[in-house]
Amino acid sequence: QPVEATDDAFWDQFWADTATSVQDVFALVPAAEIRAVREESPSNLATLCYKAVEKLVQGAESGCHTEKERQIVLNCCRLLTRILPYIFEDPDWRGFFWSTVPGAGRGGGDEDDENARPLAESLLLAVTDLLFCPDFTVQSHRRSTVDTAEDIHSIDSCEYIWEAGVGFAHSPQPNYIHDLNRTELLKLLLTCFSEAMYLPPSSDSSNTNPWVQFFCSTENRHALPLFTSLLNVVCAYDPVGYGIPYNHLLFSDYREPLVEEAAQVLIVTLDYDSSTSSSPTVDGTTTGTAMDDVDPPGPDNLFVNYLSRIHREEDFQFILKGVARLLSTPLVQTYLPNSAKKIQFHQELLVLFWKLCDFNKKFLFFVLKSSDVLDILVPILYFLNDARADQSRVGLMHIGVFILLLLSGERNFGVRLNKPYSVRVPMDIPVFTGTHADLLIIVFHKIITSGHQRLQPLFDCLLTIVVNVSPYLKSLSMVAANKLLHLLEAFSTTWFLFSAVQNHHLVFFLLEVFNNIIQYQFDGNSNLVYAVIRKRNVFHQLANLPTDSQAIQKGLQRKKKSPEPISRTNSQDGVSMEGSRPAAPAEPGTLKTSLVATPGIDKLTEKSQVSEDGTMRSLEPEASQLSPEGNPPAALSDGEPWSGEPSHSRRDRRRLSSTSSSGQWTPTPDWVMSWKSKLPLQTIMRLLQVLVPQVEKICIDKGLTDESEILKFLQHGTLVGLLPVPHPILIRKYQANSGTAMWFRTYMWGVIYLRNVDPPIWYDTDVKLFEIQRV
């Protein structure tokens, strides 16, 4: 039966209890009970929510000076965290927090109803005030304890930023009670924002999250200090502590839960589709039309705005060092097992790093300006290598590859990769001596040859990254050169080329890599040239690829006999690094969340041509003519084809290849001819024509079987004037699009869902943005 809102004795029992924890609240208020109240006595649920928000508002007004008030605030906070998901899962209730409550006007009188705030706004404003509440969540600057009530409105929260870093030089005394209180309030914020989880994924990026929108608007007077506090708390965190081994086992780390919560709140507030907005371009002019002049430049989401406006070198340095330090914690090789703390929130950090590079081009250029970018690259390669066999970590694989794709669009990234790789991070890859470029190629080879099936949609991306950096690679090691040729060998078998409509693109990418290195970096790359000469039959077979129906059928027959996607033999893997563990598949029963499809490489990137002076200009895609690597269909994360490809390429394909009665695609001679004639083999054929006779002569003359002599010859050889005119360098730069924006949203909320297990905020509620699956 409905309880009157005025019956304070009844309602107060929900938050008057002294020492509860958030876990207690979850245990005391079971899901079934919340749903029962929602269905059977909705007015009681409404009153409970409204009363809890009212208590938070009162706490924020008064400044929480007594222990009792703080306890009430924390309990209301926990209660709302528990209840909100059940309000979001029911479409009829979703608008509840955005309605005004009768009689909830500021003055308590009924005539105030017109300007009463929706409940959601009152809740968000109260939480932000409470996050800068002296002696509750921040250190008080006052000596005396005679604080008056209006203080909370007169304080300048910019003086109470939680941590030194961007835009703030003073590092406050750590106080674990404040950290715990902040963590509880941020957990409630994250729960408010999680309404996004209860809406199915849609490509329409206009449906912004109303909670985030209000929170990041000028209505929130603490927006700047809060943004700065969250960013600084994350980037200043040092989990290793004072270098004492086992430190983390002796002292409970009160910072870590706060840092995790801060990172999650931060990435959710930055969930913003930059492809549809008139975001400021690198030179600060907006890309909007003249009609947009009414809006201030930059997005109205203040967090995105602030992020895009950070510009001081020392701020960039602080952010980059912080992110790199945290991403590297799993890699710290110590002699004492488990002596260094491993953080668990690397996925949130990768999303944050992505947002920084995507929204702040000056930051991206800063990252690439020095070899500090390698401190981000190595951990990413470590995660990619480690997760390659684990089906529950497909999302991590994607974001790692996306970041590398974004970086590889800039010339400086390729140049930085030439730095020798000397740190020995334990990874199960062959031991090699070489540069960071070698490391990248060896790890990519490992992902392609020994990752699980669901990574196939990433092959295009992986090879695009290698193509983008290839013109700048000064000298590949023999190990890396052999890996590239092994990939070409695997991808150019007839059954692989004929078994799927876009497989030949991988061969085009690899040939482009070889051409770039031969034309632009021939001098230092005798290892690669030697590998090409040794495997010359692969190139001859490609040039003589049969195109008649009989040969195509025969090629496809071979596939049925060898189901293995890529032969692992003859890959000469050698010994793995010391201290490394092989990449393991997920434990059966591991929970994972589904992901939406990622756009194909042609949607993800746009082609730019590098001119003589090193500047890039974007190439307009020619609609009329379909390039040989025309539109690869994008693929779902499960490797199913996606029907979202442009109709003209589907039409062309139907013309070039017959669709059999079962609706399955089959290769035809015309189709093979259409791309075989465009294989860029001229440069390599010319190289073989010139060098093979000379190498054979050396072998015969000196009776040589020793490769060092041949390598010495190749090092001093030159092909100047013998090769075709160098082709212009083509770079495929990542371009923002709503497809990736939606992918990031589902990935990010999936990570947050799975990482919040204690208490399990969203577990067992009717989430619509993704499916929860077991491996």
Side-chain angles (χ1 to χ4, degrees), residues 335-468:
Y335 291 103
L336 307 166
N338 303 325
S339 64
K341 188 177 174 93
K342 307 245 189 288
I343 57 152
Q344 299 300 319
F345 55 98
H346 49 272
Q347 303 195 80
E348 292 92 321
L349 284 166
L350 290 172
V351 175
L352 178 60
F353 183 76
W354 169 270
K355 299 280 180 197
L356 280 157
C357 293
D358 196 19
F359 295 153
N360 190 325
K361 286 294 172 265
K362 288 199 176 95
F363 176 75
L364 176 63
F365 296 146
F366 176 84
V367 169
L368 294 165
K369 201 173 71 175
S370 72
S371 52
D372 288 351
V373 64
L374 302 175
D375 299 336
I376 299 284
L377 169 76
V378 173
I380 288 179
L381 291 175
Y382 171 85
F383 291 127
L384 290 177
N385 186 54
D386 188 52
R388 69 179 192 268
D390 183 341
Q391 298 226 351
S392 67
R393 292 198 282 170
V394 178
L396 170 62
M397 298 291 296
H398 276 74
I399 186 163
V401 172
F402 281 157
I403 290 174
L404 298 183
L405 179 64
L406 180 70
L407 295 174
S408 74
E410 308 298 329
R411 173 183 179 272
N412 263 355
F413 181 64
V415 174
R416 298 284 160 239
L417 289 178
N418 290 309
K419 187 176 174 181
Y421 175 68
S422 50
V423 264
R424 285 282 170 248
V425 174
M427 288 160 80
D428 68 322
I429 53 173
V431 181
F432 71 98
T433 307
T435 65
H436 284 76
D438 295 311
L439 176 68
L440 178 127
I441 288 168
I442 291 167
V443 169
F444 283 9
H445 172 269
K446 200 84 170 164
I447 294 167
I448 292 172
T449 55
S450 66
H452 56 79
Q453 281 303 149
R454 295 191 169 181
L455 298 179
Q456 280 215 337
L458 280 176
F459 290 2
D460 274 345
C461 269
L462 291 168
L463 293 187
T464 298
I465 295 165
V466 181
V467 173
N468 282 348

Side-chain angles (χ1 to χ4, degrees), residues 156-173:
D156 173 8
S157 44
C158 285
E159 293 173 12
Y160 289 90
I161 288 171
W162 301 348
E163 186 57 77
V166 176
F168 193 66
H170 166 68
S171 187
Q173 252 335 103

Side-chain angles (χ1 to χ4, degrees), residues 216-231:
C216 298
S217 72
T218 47
E219 296 271 354
N220 177 358
R221 72 187 184 97
H222 302 295
L224 181 59
L226 198 52
F227 169 76
T228 315
S229 294
L230 296 171
L231 184 62

Side-chain angles (χ1 to χ4, degrees), residues 761-774:
I761 302 181
W762 300 282
Y763 191 67
D764 255 356
T765 58
D766 189 12
V767 172
K768 295 270 194 299
L769 184 62
F770 44 78
E771 287 168 31
I772 293 93
Q773 302 158 339
R774 283 191 187 276

Side-chain angles (χ1 to χ4, degrees), residues 406-622:
L406 180 70
L407 295 174
S408 74
E410 308 298 329
R411 173 183 179 272
N412 263 355
F413 181 64
V415 174
R416 298 284 160 239
L417 289 178
N418 290 309
K419 187 176 174 181
Y421 175 68
S422 50
V423 264
R424 285 282 170 248
V425 174
M427 288 160 80
D428 68 322
I429 53 173
V431 181
F432 71 98
T433 307
T435 65
H436 284 76
D438 295 311
L439 176 68
L440 178 127
I441 288 168
I442 291 167
V443 169
F444 283 9
H445 172 269
K446 200 84 170 164
I447 294 167
I448 292 172
T449 55
S450 66
H452 56 79
Q453 281 303 149
R454 295 191 169 181
L455 298 179
Q456 280 215 337
L458 280 176
F459 290 2
D460 274 345
C461 269
L462 291 168
L463 293 187
T464 298
I465 295 165
V466 181
V467 173
N468 282 348
V469 300
S470 58
Y472 311 110
L473 304 183
K474 293 202 177 339
S475 74
L476 286 182
S477 68
M478 192 58 95
V479 178
N482 284 333
K483 296 295 178 211
L484 285 175
L485 279 139
H486 177 237
L487 287 180
L488 183 70
E489 222 175 339
F491 290 149
S492 57
T493 58
T494 46
W495 71 256
F496 184 78
L497 285 173
F498 298 158
S499 61
V501 73
Q502 73 280 19
N503 283 354
H504 63 277
H505 300 155
L506 300 173
V507 169
F508 276 82
F509 285 139
L510 284 164
L511 291 175
E512 205 175 325
V513 170
F514 297 136
N515 288 339
N516 281 343
I517 293 178
I518 292 167
Q519 287 283 17
Y520 292 97
Q521 299 290 349
F522 179 82
D523 285 351
N525 274 299
S526 50
N527 287 331
L528 184 78
V529 174
Y530 178 64
V532 167
I533 292 174
R534 271 190 46 217
K535 293 276 183 193
R536 56 189 177 274
N537 61 326
V538 179
F539 300 98
H540 290 304
Q541 276 163 7
L542 264 177
N544 301 318
L545 191 73
T547 54
D548 56 294
S549 323
Q550 222 175 344
I552 293 176
Q553 283 317 308
K554 209 164 115 192
L556 287 172
Q557 292 308 307
R558 218 169 293 169
K559 179 183 185 182
K560 297 196 177 78
K561 293 194 200 97
S562 55
E564 190 73 6
I566 286 176
S567 72
R568 314 245 164 115
T569 51
N570 73 20
S571 151
Q572 309 116 3
D573 242 9
V575 203
S576 271
M577 286 183 153
E578 208 181 328
S580 66
R581 295 190 317 276
E587 291 289 318
T590 309
L591 286 180
K592 67 186 188 86
T593 54
S594 62
L595 293 162
V596 292
T598 51
I601 195 74
D602 56 322
K603 299 271 186 314
L604 266 182
T605 54
E606 60 175 0
K607 292 184 183 166
S608 300
Q609 198 168 316
V610 181
S611 50
E612 302 278 306
D613 59 355
T615 54
M616 288 196 196
R617 59 184 184 83
S618 165
L619 293 179
E620 289 307 309
E622 299 155 44

